Amino acid sequence: MAGLAVLASGSGSNFEAIAGQLKKSAHKVVCLICDRKDAYAFTRAEKYGIPSYFVGYKNRTRGEAETEIASILTAHNTDLIALAGFMRLLTPELIDRFPGRIINIHPSLLPKYPGTHGIIESFESEDRELGITIHRVDYGLDTGPVIVQKSFTRGGNETLEQIEKKIHELEHQSYPAVLLDILDEI
Ligand code: GRF
């Protein structure tokens, strides 16, 4: 059994997909950490009985917030960390505590459209091939080594909502599977 911690900031639909799949596996989601008190991910964690923690970044340094994050991760014997819509960059100090063991998902075919507007920038582009990227986290913004990319070809007449739905479906299928493979190797 290996332990996965998930960091999220918002809805947590990826977190829930991961929680659902890991429940059927030998591995465990050991905790959820959110930097927003109102994150819907907390409601999902409750549903799965997963311990969840709010870690605020207001009026403190990123390093101070991460000291709290690190102590939660340690208390839960975390082997692997999945960022699932966590809207903050981690410091090199935290990344170096988990070498190669922090994974991120991004809703575009990186290196195209890094940052917070991956879906809309993909949608507004001329690209026919859209998709998602799962990668290891390094010090940059959505720059670490790619583990897998999944894509689809759009017809051209889809709405933004339809593209968004397709991207999230791909995320929910792929992210739990990739994380399970990595957990199996730990
Ligand atoms: C996903 O599109 C993910 O790729 C991006 O943030 C979004 C999070 O969605 N990093 P959710 O909170 O998992 O629903």
Side-chain angles (χ1 to χ4, degrees):
M1 195 284 281
L4 175 77
V6 180
L7 272 61
S9 297
S11 157
S13 68
N14 279 282
F15 162 69
E16 182 158 0
I18 295 163
Q21 289 304 310
L22 260 70
K23 216 176 144 183
K24 301 183 232 159
S25 81
H27 308 295
K28 193 174 170 187
V29 180
V30 291
C31 64
L32 168 78
I33 299 173
C34 294
D35 63 324
R36 291 183 58 120
K37 251 189 204 145
D38 59 352
Y40 185 68
F42 282 122
T43 306
R44 302 188 198 257
E46 212 169 300
K47 178 168 145 195
Y48 283 84
I50 294 171
S52 59
Y53 301 88
F54 163 67
V55 175
Y57 276 65
K58 212 174 160 192
N59 300 324
R60 69 209 296 211
T61 64
R62 196 154 49 122
E64 284 164 351
E66 286 185 359
T67 299
E68 191 181 341
I69 291 178
S71 69
I72 297 167
L73 296 173
T74 307
H76 285 282
N77 298 319
T78 302
D79 297 300
L80 186 72
I81 299 167
L83 306 184
F86 187 65
M87 303 303 279
R88 293 182 188 270
L89 266 188
L90 301 176
T91 64
E93 289 72 28
L94 185 60
I95 293 168
D96 288 344
R97 286 176 77 143
F98 293 89
R101 298 242 178 142
I102 308 180
I103 314 296
N104 184 42
I105 187 161
H106 186 77
S108 75
L109 293 172
L110 292 170
K112 286 183 168 183
Y113 322 121
T116 49
H117 304 295
I119 296 183
I120 184 104
E121 287 177 12
S122 298
F123 176 75
E124 286 177 351
S125 74
E126 301 281 302
D127 304 349
R128 290 298 298 273
E129 208 63 14
L130 306 182
I132 63 149
T133 304
I134 297 170
H135 66 97
R136 292 190 197 270
V137 169
D138 67 5
Y139 300 163
L141 175 64
D142 302 323
T143 50
V146 171
I147 300 170
V148 78
Q149 293 191 303
K150 299 277 181 191
S151 66
F152 62 95
T153 308
R154 66 170 155 181
N157 292 323
E158 298 90 342
T159 62
L160 174 60
E161 289 67 33
Q162 286 166 330
I163 293 291
E164 240 164 5
K165 186 164 179 274
K166 182 81 191 149
I167 285 178
H168 290 311
E169 276 168 10
L170 267 189
E171 291 187 326
H172 300 163
Q173 279 162 20
S174 311
Y175 207 15
V178 168
L179 293 169
L180 277 169
D181 283 347
I182 299 171
L183 289 163
D184 279 342
E185 298 297 314
I186 292 174

mmCIF file of all heavy atoms in Angstrom, residues 38-88:
data_model
loop_
_atom_site.group_PDB
_atom_site.id
_atom_site.type_symbol
_atom_site.label_atom_id
_atom_site.label_comp_id
_atom_site.label_asym_id
_atom_site.label_seq_id
_atom_site.Cartn_x
_atom_site.Cartn_y
_atom_site.Cartn_z
ATOM 1 N N ASP A 38 -13.421 27.475 0.762
ATOM 2 C CA ASP A 38 -14.709 27.162 0.146
ATOM 3 C C ASP A 38 -14.593 26.129 -0.987
ATOM 4 O O ASP A 38 -15.525 25.954 -1.757
ATOM 5 C CB ASP A 38 -15.346 28.451 -0.390
ATOM 6 C CG ASP A 38 -14.450 29.144 -1.421
ATOM 7 O OD1 ASP A 38 -13.282 28.706 -1.612
ATOM 8 O OD2 ASP A 38 -14.917 30.110 -2.057
ATOM 9 N N ALA A 39 -13.463 25.460 -1.076
ATOM 10 C CA ALA A 39 -13.284 24.498 -2.175
ATOM 11 C C ALA A 39 -14.324 23.371 -2.071
ATOM 12 O O ALA A 39 -14.490 22.759 -1.007
ATOM 13 C CB ALA A 39 -11.872 23.910 -2.128
ATOM 14 N N TYR A 40 -14.995 23.104 -3.180
ATOM 15 C CA TYR A 40 -16.007 22.030 -3.179
ATOM 16 C C TYR A 40 -15.346 20.662 -2.964
ATOM 17 O O TYR A 40 -15.984 19.704 -2.518
ATOM 18 C CB TYR A 40 -16.822 22.060 -4.485
ATOM 19 C CG TYR A 40 -17.944 21.058 -4.476
ATOM 20 C CD1 TYR A 40 -19.031 21.220 -3.625
ATOM 21 C CD2 TYR A 40 -17.903 19.922 -5.282
ATOM 22 C CE1 TYR A 40 -20.046 20.286 -3.578
ATOM 23 C CE2 TYR A 40 -18.919 18.974 -5.245
ATOM 24 C CZ TYR A 40 -19.985 19.169 -4.393
ATOM 25 O OH TYR A 40 -20.995 18.234 -4.337
ATOM 26 N N ALA A 41 -14.046 20.609 -3.223
ATOM 27 C CA ALA A 41 -13.301 19.363 -2.990
ATOM 28 C C ALA A 41 -13.487 18.865 -1.552
ATOM 29 O O ALA A 41 -13.480 17.651 -1.305
ATOM 30 C CB ALA A 41 -11.817 19.597 -3.288
ATOM 31 N N PHE A 42 -13.697 19.766 -0.597
ATOM 32 C CA PHE A 42 -13.892 19.347 0.801
ATOM 33 C C PHE A 42 -15.143 18.467 0.948
ATOM 34 O O PHE A 42 -15.147 17.500 1.689
ATOM 35 C CB PHE A 42 -14.023 20.563 1.724
ATOM 36 C CG PHE A 42 -12.700 21.215 2.055
ATOM 37 C CD1 PHE A 42 -12.480 22.552 1.746
ATOM 38 C CD2 PHE A 42 -11.686 20.502 2.681
ATOM 39 C CE1 PHE A 42 -11.262 23.157 2.049
ATOM 40 C CE2 PHE A 42 -10.465 21.098 2.989
ATOM 41 C CZ PHE A 42 -10.253 22.430 2.674
ATOM 42 N N THR A 43 -16.193 18.849 0.235
ATOM 43 C CA THR A 43 -17.442 18.071 0.286
ATOM 44 C C THR A 43 -17.206 16.676 -0.269
ATOM 45 O O THR A 43 -17.706 15.673 0.241
ATOM 46 C CB THR A 43 -18.533 18.795 -0.543
ATOM 47 O OG1 THR A 43 -18.616 20.128 -0.063
ATOM 48 C CG2 THR A 43 -19.887 18.123 -0.423
ATOM 49 N N ARG A 44 -16.421 16.612 -1.320
ATOM 50 C CA ARG A 44 -16.132 15.306 -1.938
ATOM 51 C C ARG A 44 -15.293 14.449 -0.986
ATOM 52 O O ARG A 44 -15.486 13.239 -0.894
ATOM 53 C CB ARG A 44 -15.403 15.505 -3.262
ATOM 54 C CG ARG A 44 -16.167 16.367 -4.270
ATOM 55 C CD ARG A 44 -15.433 16.313 -5.593
ATOM 56 N NE ARG A 44 -15.788 17.379 -6.514
ATOM 57 C CZ ARG A 44 -16.584 17.240 -7.564
ATOM 58 N NH1 ARG A 44 -17.160 16.079 -7.818
ATOM 59 N NH2 ARG A 44 -16.808 18.251 -8.388
ATOM 60 N N ALA A 45 -14.350 15.084 -0.275
ATOM 61 C CA ALA A 45 -13.490 14.340 0.656
ATOM 62 C C ALA A 45 -14.336 13.725 1.773
ATOM 63 O O ALA A 45 -14.125 12.567 2.166
ATOM 64 C CB ALA A 45 -12.429 15.259 1.244
ATOM 65 N N GLU A 46 -15.299 14.494 2.229
ATOM 66 C CA GLU A 46 -16.196 14.008 3.294
ATOM 67 C C GLU A 46 -16.933 12.755 2.834
ATOM 68 O O GLU A 46 -17.020 11.771 3.559
ATOM 69 C CB GLU A 46 -17.199 15.119 3.603
ATOM 70 C CG GLU A 46 -17.648 15.151 5.044
ATOM 71 C CD GLU A 46 -18.422 16.426 5.299
ATOM 72 O OE1 GLU A 46 -17.845 17.520 5.118
ATOM 73 O OE2 GLU A 46 -19.612 16.317 5.619
ATOM 74 N N LYS A 47 -17.419 12.822 1.593
ATOM 75 C CA LYS A 47 -18.152 11.693 1.015
ATOM 76 C C LYS A 47 -17.303 10.413 1.010
ATOM 77 O O LYS A 47 -17.814 9.316 1.216
ATOM 78 C CB LYS A 47 -18.533 12.095 -0.418
ATOM 79 C CG LYS A 47 -19.259 11.091 -1.224
ATOM 80 C CD LYS A 47 -19.798 11.759 -2.489
ATOM 81 C CE LYS A 47 -19.766 10.802 -3.665
ATOM 82 N NZ LYS A 47 -19.931 11.486 -4.943
ATOM 83 N N TYR A 48 -16.007 10.569 0.791
ATOM 84 C CA TYR A 48 -15.112 9.407 0.743
ATOM 85 C C TYR A 48 -14.420 9.132 2.068
ATOM 86 O O TYR A 48 -13.600 8.220 2.158
ATOM 87 C CB TYR A 48 -14.060 9.602 -0.373
ATOM 88 C CG TYR A 48 -14.633 9.342 -1.742
ATOM 89 C CD1 TYR A 48 -15.323 10.332 -2.426
ATOM 90 C CD2 TYR A 48 -14.524 8.083 -2.334
ATOM 91 C CE1 TYR A 48 -15.877 10.089 -3.673
ATOM 92 C CE2 TYR A 48 -15.070 7.829 -3.577
ATOM 93 C CZ TYR A 48 -15.749 8.836 -4.242
ATOM 94 O OH TYR A 48 -16.300 8.586 -5.475
ATOM 95 N N GLY A 49 -14.712 9.925 3.086
ATOM 96 C CA GLY A 49 -14.092 9.728 4.396
ATOM 97 C C GLY A 49 -12.592 9.979 4.381
ATOM 98 O O GLY A 49 -11.838 9.351 5.128
ATOM 99 N N ILE A 50 -12.172 10.902 3.532
ATOM 100 C CA ILE A 50 -10.738 11.214 3.427
ATOM 101 C C ILE A 50 -10.441 12.453 4.283
ATOM 102 O O ILE A 50 -11.112 13.485 4.136
ATOM 103 C CB ILE A 50 -10.358 11.459 1.947
ATOM 104 C CG1 ILE A 50 -10.520 10.151 1.155
ATOM 105 C CG2 ILE A 50 -8.925 11.994 1.829
ATOM 106 C CD1 ILE A 50 -10.401 10.288 -0.344
ATOM 107 N N PRO A 51 -9.437 12.377 5.172
ATOM 108 C CA PRO A 51 -9.096 13.541 5.996
ATOM 109 C C PRO A 51 -8.737 14.740 5.115
ATOM 110 O O PRO A 51 -7.966 14.585 4.156
ATOM 111 C CB PRO A 51 -7.871 13.091 6.796
ATOM 112 C CG PRO A 51 -7.761 11.623 6.618
ATOM 113 C CD PRO A 51 -8.553 11.236 5.411
ATOM 114 N N SER A 52 -9.284 15.903 5.434
ATOM 115 C CA SER A 52 -9.016 17.064 4.584
ATOM 116 C C SER A 52 -8.588 18.256 5.432
ATOM 117 O O SER A 52 -9.032 18.399 6.573
ATOM 118 C CB SER A 52 -10.246 17.394 3.750
ATOM 119 O OG SER A 52 -11.337 17.664 4.585
ATOM 120 N N TYR A 53 -7.756 19.093 4.845
ATOM 121 C CA TYR A 53 -7.144 20.201 5.575
ATOM 122 C C TYR A 53 -7.167 21.460 4.729
ATOM 123 O O TYR A 53 -6.807 21.427 3.549
ATOM 124 C CB TYR A 53 -5.675 19.885 5.906
ATOM 125 C CG TYR A 53 -5.534 18.643 6.733
ATOM 126 C CD1 TYR A 53 -5.428 17.395 6.112
ATOM 127 C CD2 TYR A 53 -5.524 18.697 8.120
ATOM 128 C CE1 TYR A 53 -5.311 16.232 6.857
ATOM 129 C CE2 TYR A 53 -5.406 17.543 8.885
ATOM 130 C CZ TYR A 53 -5.302 16.316 8.239
ATOM 131 O OH TYR A 53 -5.190 15.167 8.977
ATOM 132 N N PHE A 54 -7.537 22.560 5.393
ATOM 133 C CA PHE A 54 -7.406 23.874 4.764
ATOM 134 C C PHE A 54 -6.067 24.467 5.209
ATOM 135 O O PHE A 54 -5.788 24.535 6.408
ATOM 136 C CB PHE A 54 -8.556 24.787 5.190
ATOM 137 C CG PHE A 54 -8.287 26.240 4.929
ATOM 138 C CD1 PHE A 54 -8.182 26.714 3.624
ATOM 139 C CD2 PHE A 54 -8.112 27.137 5.977
ATOM 140 C CE1 PHE A 54 -7.913 28.053 3.381
ATOM 141 C CE2 PHE A 54 -7.842 28.477 5.735
ATOM 142 C CZ PHE A 54 -7.738 28.937 4.437
ATOM 143 N N VAL A 55 -5.258 24.861 4.246
ATOM 144 C CA VAL A 55 -4.005 25.555 4.565
ATOM 145 C C VAL A 55 -4.054 26.921 3.890
ATOM 146 O O VAL A 55 -4.026 27.015 2.658
ATOM 147 C CB VAL A 55 -2.771 24.757 4.087
ATOM 148 C CG1 VAL A 55 -1.494 25.565 4.318
ATOM 149 C CG2 VAL A 55 -2.676 23.420 4.826
ATOM 150 N N GLY A 56 -4.181 27.970 4.691
ATOM 151 C CA GLY A 56 -4.285 29.325 4.140
ATOM 152 C C GLY A 56 -2.914 29.882 3.776
ATOM 153 O O GLY A 56 -1.909 29.550 4.402
ATOM 154 N N TYR A 57 -2.927 30.736 2.751
ATOM 155 C CA TYR A 57 -1.682 31.391 2.317
ATOM 156 C C TYR A 57 -1.711 32.877 2.662
ATOM 157 O O TYR A 57 -0.733 33.576 2.439
ATOM 158 C CB TYR A 57 -1.501 31.234 0.802
ATOM 159 C CG TYR A 57 -0.861 29.923 0.372
ATOM 160 C CD1 TYR A 57 -1.501 28.705 0.587
ATOM 161 C CD2 TYR A 57 0.381 29.903 -0.267
ATOM 162 C CE1 TYR A 57 -0.921 27.514 0.168
ATOM 163 C CE2 TYR A 57 0.962 28.723 -0.688
ATOM 164 C CZ TYR A 57 0.304 27.529 -0.469
ATOM 165 O OH TYR A 57 0.886 26.352 -0.886
ATOM 166 N N LYS A 58 -2.845 33.345 3.199
ATOM 167 C CA LYS A 58 -3.010 34.781 3.445
ATOM 168 C C LYS A 58 -2.152 35.230 4.625
ATOM 169 O O LYS A 58 -2.100 34.529 5.646
ATOM 170 C CB LYS A 58 -4.492 35.042 3.746
ATOM 171 C CG LYS A 58 -4.954 36.388 3.285
ATOM 172 C CD LYS A 58 -6.439 36.537 3.467
ATOM 173 C CE LYS A 58 -6.794 38.008 3.462
ATOM 174 N NZ LYS A 58 -8.161 38.218 3.900
ATOM 175 N N ASN A 59 -1.524 36.378 4.490
ATOM 176 C CA ASN A 59 -0.713 36.972 5.566
ATOM 177 C C ASN A 59 0.427 36.078 6.041
ATOM 178 O O ASN A 59 0.786 36.110 7.212
ATOM 179 C CB ASN A 59 -1.581 37.353 6.772
ATOM 180 C CG ASN A 59 -2.643 38.354 6.392
ATOM 181 O OD1 ASN A 59 -2.398 39.226 5.567
ATOM 182 N ND2 ASN A 59 -3.828 38.210 6.953
ATOM 183 N N ARG A 60 0.914 35.253 5.191
ATOM 184 C CA ARG A 60 2.099 34.471 5.541
ATOM 185 C C ARG A 60 2.883 34.192 4.266
ATOM 186 O O ARG A 60 2.343 34.338 3.163
ATOM 187 C CB ARG A 60 1.706 33.169 6.255
ATOM 188 C CG ARG A 60 1.001 32.171 5.355
ATOM 189 C CD ARG A 60 0.038 31.252 6.059
ATOM 190 N NE ARG A 60 0.657 30.377 7.014
ATOM 191 C CZ ARG A 60 0.207 29.147 7.310
ATOM 192 N NH1 ARG A 60 -0.868 28.659 6.690
ATOM 193 N NH2 ARG A 60 0.777 28.413 8.209
ATOM 194 N N THR A 61 4.124 33.764 4.406
ATOM 195 C CA THR A 61 4.911 33.477 3.205
ATOM 196 C C THR A 61 4.504 32.105 2.656
ATOM 197 O O THR A 61 3.911 31.289 3.368
ATOM 198 C CB THR A 61 6.420 33.445 3.517
ATOM 199 O OG1 THR A 61 6.651 32.346 4.411
ATOM 200 C CG2 THR A 61 6.895 34.744 4.147
ATOM 201 N N ARG A 62 4.881 31.882 1.416
ATOM 202 C CA ARG A 62 4.610 30.583 0.794
ATOM 203 C C ARG A 62 5.334 29.491 1.586
ATOM 204 O O ARG A 62 4.816 28.407 1.811
ATOM 205 C CB ARG A 62 5.105 30.637 -0.652
ATOM 206 C CG ARG A 62 4.581 29.565 -1.535
ATOM 207 C CD ARG A 62 4.573 29.986 -2.981
ATOM 208 N NE ARG A 62 5.814 30.572 -3.433
ATOM 209 C CZ ARG A 62 6.550 30.096 -4.454
ATOM 210 N NH1 ARG A 62 6.152 29.029 -5.117
ATOM 211 N NH2 ARG A 62 7.647 30.701 -4.829
ATOM 212 N N GLY A 63 6.537 29.834 2.042
ATOM 213 C CA GLY A 63 7.322 28.879 2.831
ATOM 214 C C GLY A 63 6.604 28.490 4.121
ATOM 215 O O GLY A 63 6.592 27.323 4.508
ATOM 216 N N GLU A 64 5.978 29.476 4.769
ATOM 217 C CA GLU A 64 5.249 29.181 6.023
ATOM 218 C C GLU A 64 4.047 28.271 5.751
ATOM 219 O O GLU A 64 3.799 27.317 6.489
ATOM 220 C CB GLU A 64 4.797 30.487 6.688
ATOM 221 C CG GLU A 64 5.927 31.219 7.389
ATOM 222 C CD GLU A 64 5.602 32.687 7.714
ATOM 223 O OE1 GLU A 64 4.566 33.207 7.257
ATOM 224 O OE2 GLU A 64 6.419 33.294 8.414
ATOM 225 N N ALA A 65 3.324 28.588 4.695
ATOM 226 C CA ALA A 65 2.172 27.739 4.347
ATOM 227 C C ALA A 65 2.653 26.322 4.028
ATOM 228 O O ALA A 65 2.057 25.323 4.455
ATOM 229 C CB ALA A 65 1.420 28.332 3.156
ATOM 230 N N GLU A 66 3.761 26.241 3.323
ATOM 231 C CA GLU A 66 4.263 24.916 2.936
ATOM 232 C C GLU A 66 4.821 24.126 4.119
ATOM 233 O O GLU A 66 4.822 22.895 4.083
ATOM 234 C CB GLU A 66 5.317 25.056 1.837
ATOM 235 C CG GLU A 66 4.682 25.391 0.490
ATOM 236 C CD GLU A 66 5.706 25.406 -0.630
ATOM 237 O OE1 GLU A 66 6.895 25.180 -0.349
ATOM 238 O OE2 GLU A 66 5.303 25.642 -1.780
ATOM 239 N N THR A 67 5.280 24.819 5.155
ATOM 240 C CA THR A 67 5.733 24.099 6.350
ATOM 241 C C THR A 67 4.535 23.347 6.938
ATOM 242 O O THR A 67 4.645 22.180 7.355
ATOM 243 C CB THR A 67 6.304 25.097 7.387
ATOM 244 O OG1 THR A 67 7.398 25.752 6.778
ATOM 245 C CG2 THR A 67 6.761 24.406 8.651
ATOM 246 N N GLU A 68 3.384 24.022 6.918
ATOM 247 C CA GLU A 68 2.163 23.360 7.410
ATOM 248 C C GLU A 68 1.775 22.195 6.484
ATOM 249 O O GLU A 68 1.428 21.106 6.961
ATOM 250 C CB GLU A 68 1.034 24.394 7.486
ATOM 251 C CG GLU A 68 -0.182 23.898 8.233
ATOM 252 C CD GLU A 68 -1.308 24.933 8.265
ATOM 253 O OE1 GLU A 68 -1.058 26.142 8.036
ATOM 254 O OE2 GLU A 68 -2.449 24.505 8.518
ATOM 255 N N ILE A 69 1.866 22.437 5.185
ATOM 256 C CA ILE A 69 1.548 21.366 4.225
ATOM 257 C C ILE A 69 2.474 20.167 4.459
ATOM 258 O O ILE A 69 2.024 19.019 4.543
ATOM 259 C CB ILE A 69 1.669 21.878 2.766
ATOM 260 C CG1 ILE A 69 0.555 22.880 2.476
ATOM 261 C CG2 ILE A 69 1.638 20.717 1.767
ATOM 262 C CD1 ILE A 69 0.593 23.498 1.087
ATOM 263 N N ALA A 70 3.769 20.447 4.604
ATOM 264 C CA ALA A 70 4.749 19.360 4.761
ATOM 265 C C ALA A 70 4.458 18.557 6.029
ATOM 266 O O ALA A 70 4.584 17.323 6.030
ATOM 267 C CB ALA A 70 6.162 19.932 4.797
ATOM 268 N N SER A 71 4.041 19.226 7.089
ATOM 269 C CA SER A 71 3.799 18.447 8.311
ATOM 270 C C SER A 71 2.538 17.574 8.165
ATOM 271 O O SER A 71 2.491 16.462 8.690
ATOM 272 C CB SER A 71 3.777 19.334 9.565
ATOM 273 O OG SER A 71 2.645 20.130 9.532
ATOM 274 N N ILE A 72 1.555 18.038 7.419
ATOM 275 C CA ILE A 72 0.367 17.194 7.155
ATOM 276 C C ILE A 72 0.781 15.986 6.296
ATOM 277 O O ILE A 72 0.399 14.842 6.570
ATOM 278 C CB ILE A 72 -0.751 18.006 6.441
ATOM 279 C CG1 ILE A 72 -1.240 19.142 7.333
ATOM 280 C CG2 ILE A 72 -1.915 17.095 6.045
ATOM 281 C CD1 ILE A 72 -2.097 20.185 6.606
ATOM 282 N N LEU A 73 1.592 16.258 5.275
ATOM 283 C CA LEU A 73 2.029 15.169 4.384
ATOM 284 C C LEU A 73 2.793 14.110 5.179
ATOM 285 O O LEU A 73 2.579 12.902 4.993
ATOM 286 C CB LEU A 73 2.916 15.726 3.262
ATOM 287 C CG LEU A 73 2.240 16.695 2.281
ATOM 288 C CD1 LEU A 73 3.268 17.304 1.333
ATOM 289 C CD2 LEU A 73 1.144 15.984 1.482
ATOM 290 N N THR A 74 3.664 14.571 6.064
ATOM 291 C CA THR A 74 4.463 13.633 6.861
ATOM 292 C C THR A 74 3.576 12.851 7.829
ATOM 293 O O THR A 74 3.712 11.632 7.956
ATOM 294 C CB THR A 74 5.535 14.415 7.660
ATOM 295 O OG1 THR A 74 6.261 15.215 6.727
ATOM 296 C CG2 THR A 74 6.498 13.489 8.375
ATOM 297 N N ALA A 75 2.655 13.558 8.463
ATOM 298 C CA ALA A 75 1.771 12.892 9.436
ATOM 299 C C ALA A 75 0.962 11.775 8.783
ATOM 300 O O ALA A 75 0.580 10.809 9.442
ATOM 301 C CB ALA A 75 0.836 13.919 10.076
ATOM 302 N N HIS A 76 0.694 11.918 7.478
ATOM 303 C CA HIS A 76 -0.103 10.909 6.772
ATOM 304 C C HIS A 76 0.752 9.937 5.957
ATOM 305 O O HIS A 76 0.215 9.219 5.106
ATOM 306 C CB HIS A 76 -1.137 11.593 5.869
ATOM 307 C CG HIS A 76 -2.282 12.174 6.640
ATOM 308 N ND1 HIS A 76 -3.313 11.410 7.139
ATOM 309 C CD2 HIS A 76 -2.524 13.435 7.043
ATOM 310 C CE1 HIS A 76 -4.154 12.188 7.787
ATOM 311 N NE2 HIS A 76 -3.708 13.434 7.746
ATOM 312 N N ASN A 77 2.054 9.901 6.222
ATOM 313 C CA ASN A 77 2.948 8.971 5.509
ATOM 314 C C ASN A 77 2.762 9.028 3.991
ATOM 315 O O ASN A 77 2.508 8.013 3.339
ATOM 316 C CB ASN A 77 2.715 7.532 5.983
ATOM 317 C CG ASN A 77 3.039 7.385 7.450
ATOM 318 O OD1 ASN A 77 4.026 7.942 7.930
ATOM 319 N ND2 ASN A 77 2.198 6.676 8.180
ATOM 320 N N THR A 78 2.861 10.217 3.464
ATOM 321 C CA THR A 78 2.636 10.420 2.033
ATOM 322 C C THR A 78 3.803 9.907 1.195
ATOM 323 O O THR A 78 4.949 10.258 1.440
ATOM 324 C CB THR A 78 2.459 11.932 1.755
ATOM 325 O OG1 THR A 78 1.358 12.403 2.547
ATOM 326 C CG2 THR A 78 2.213 12.208 0.295
ATOM 327 N N ASP A 79 3.488 9.077 0.210
ATOM 328 C CA ASP A 79 4.512 8.578 -0.713
ATOM 329 C C ASP A 79 4.524 9.366 -2.016
ATOM 330 O O ASP A 79 5.549 9.486 -2.677
ATOM 331 C CB ASP A 79 4.241 7.106 -1.062
ATOM 332 C CG ASP A 79 4.326 6.219 0.165
ATOM 333 O OD1 ASP A 79 5.401 6.190 0.791
ATOM 334 O OD2 ASP A 79 3.312 5.574 0.517
ATOM 335 N N LEU A 80 3.345 9.845 -2.409
ATOM 336 C CA LEU A 80 3.207 10.507 -3.709
ATOM 337 C C LEU A 80 2.204 11.649 -3.548
ATOM 338 O O LEU A 80 1.239 11.528 -2.782
ATOM 339 C CB LEU A 80 2.683 9.486 -4.735
ATOM 340 C CG LEU A 80 2.589 9.926 -6.186
ATOM 341 C CD1 LEU A 80 3.995 10.030 -6.807
ATOM 342 C CD2 LEU A 80 1.770 8.925 -7.013
ATOM 343 N N ILE A 81 2.445 12.736 -4.282
ATOM 344 C CA ILE A 81 1.537 13.892 -4.220
ATOM 345 C C ILE A 81 0.955 14.137 -5.608
ATOM 346 O O ILE A 81 1.704 14.178 -6.593
ATOM 347 C CB ILE A 81 2.301 15.149 -3.759
ATOM 348 C CG1 ILE A 81 2.878 14.938 -2.357
ATOM 349 C CG2 ILE A 81 1.394 16.382 -3.779
ATOM 350 C CD1 ILE A 81 3.898 15.998 -1.954
ATOM 351 N N ALA A 82 -0.361 14.310 -5.674
ATOM 352 C CA ALA A 82 -0.998 14.657 -6.946
ATOM 353 C C ALA A 82 -1.569 16.064 -6.835
ATOM 354 O O ALA A 82 -2.375 16.342 -5.934
ATOM 355 C CB ALA A 82 -2.117 13.666 -7.268
ATOM 356 N N LEU A 83 -1.139 16.944 -7.710
ATOM 357 C CA LEU A 83 -1.775 18.254 -7.800
ATOM 358 C C LEU A 83 -2.975 18.097 -8.732
ATOM 359 O O LEU A 83 -2.838 17.575 -9.840
ATOM 360 C CB LEU A 83 -0.796 19.293 -8.367
ATOM 361 C CG LEU A 83 0.559 19.423 -7.653
ATOM 362 C CD1 LEU A 83 1.373 20.560 -8.277
ATOM 363 C CD2 LEU A 83 0.389 19.649 -6.160
ATOM 364 N N ALA A 84 -4.133 18.513 -8.243
ATOM 365 C CA ALA A 84 -5.351 18.350 -9.042
ATOM 366 C C ALA A 84 -6.106 19.676 -9.007
ATOM 367 O O ALA A 84 -7.000 19.875 -8.191
ATOM 368 C CB ALA A 84 -6.203 17.212 -8.478
ATOM 369 N N GLY A 85 -5.668 20.592 -9.862
ATOM 370 C CA GLY A 85 -6.276 21.917 -9.849
ATOM 371 C C GLY A 85 -5.812 22.732 -8.665
ATOM 372 O O GLY A 85 -6.561 23.547 -8.145
ATOM 373 N N PHE A 86 -4.573 22.526 -8.232
ATOM 374 C CA PHE A 86 -4.005 23.323 -7.141
ATOM 375 C C PHE A 86 -3.392 24.571 -7.782
ATOM 376 O O PHE A 86 -2.477 24.470 -8.602
ATOM 377 C CB PHE A 86 -2.939 22.516 -6.389
ATOM 378 C CG PHE A 86 -2.428 23.202 -5.146
ATOM 379 C CD1 PHE A 86 -3.274 23.440 -4.077
ATOM 380 C CD2 PHE A 86 -1.096 23.584 -5.043
ATOM 381 C CE1 PHE A 86 -2.811 24.062 -2.921
ATOM 382 C CE2 PHE A 86 -0.623 24.200 -3.893
ATOM 383 C CZ PHE A 86 -1.485 24.431 -2.830
ATOM 384 N N MET A 87 -3.922 25.738 -7.437
ATOM 385 C CA MET A 87 -3.618 26.944 -8.199
ATOM 386 C C MET A 87 -2.411 27.721 -7.671
ATOM 387 O O MET A 87 -2.351 28.935 -7.816
ATOM 388 C CB MET A 87 -4.861 27.856 -8.224
ATOM 389 C CG MET A 87 -6.086 27.184 -8.797
ATOM 390 S SD MET A 87 -5.827 26.547 -10.458
ATOM 391 C CE MET A 87 -6.061 28.048 -11.388
ATOM 392 N N ARG A 88 -1.485 27.015 -7.050
ATOM 393 C CA ARG A 88 -0.280 27.696 -6.554
ATOM 394 C C ARG A 88 0.964 26.941 -6.980
ATOM 395 O O ARG A 88 0.924 25.715 -7.085
ATOM 396 C CB ARG A 88 -0.304 27.785 -5.031
ATOM 397 C CG ARG A 88 -1.402 28.694 -4.539
ATOM 398 C CD ARG A 88 -1.382 28.818 -3.052
ATOM 399 N NE ARG A 88 -2.551 29.545 -2.605
ATOM 400 C CZ ARG A 88 -2.602 30.864 -2.455
ATOM 401 N NH1 ARG A 88 -1.534 31.592 -2.686
ATOM 402 N NH2 ARG A 88 -3.718 31.457 -2.059
#
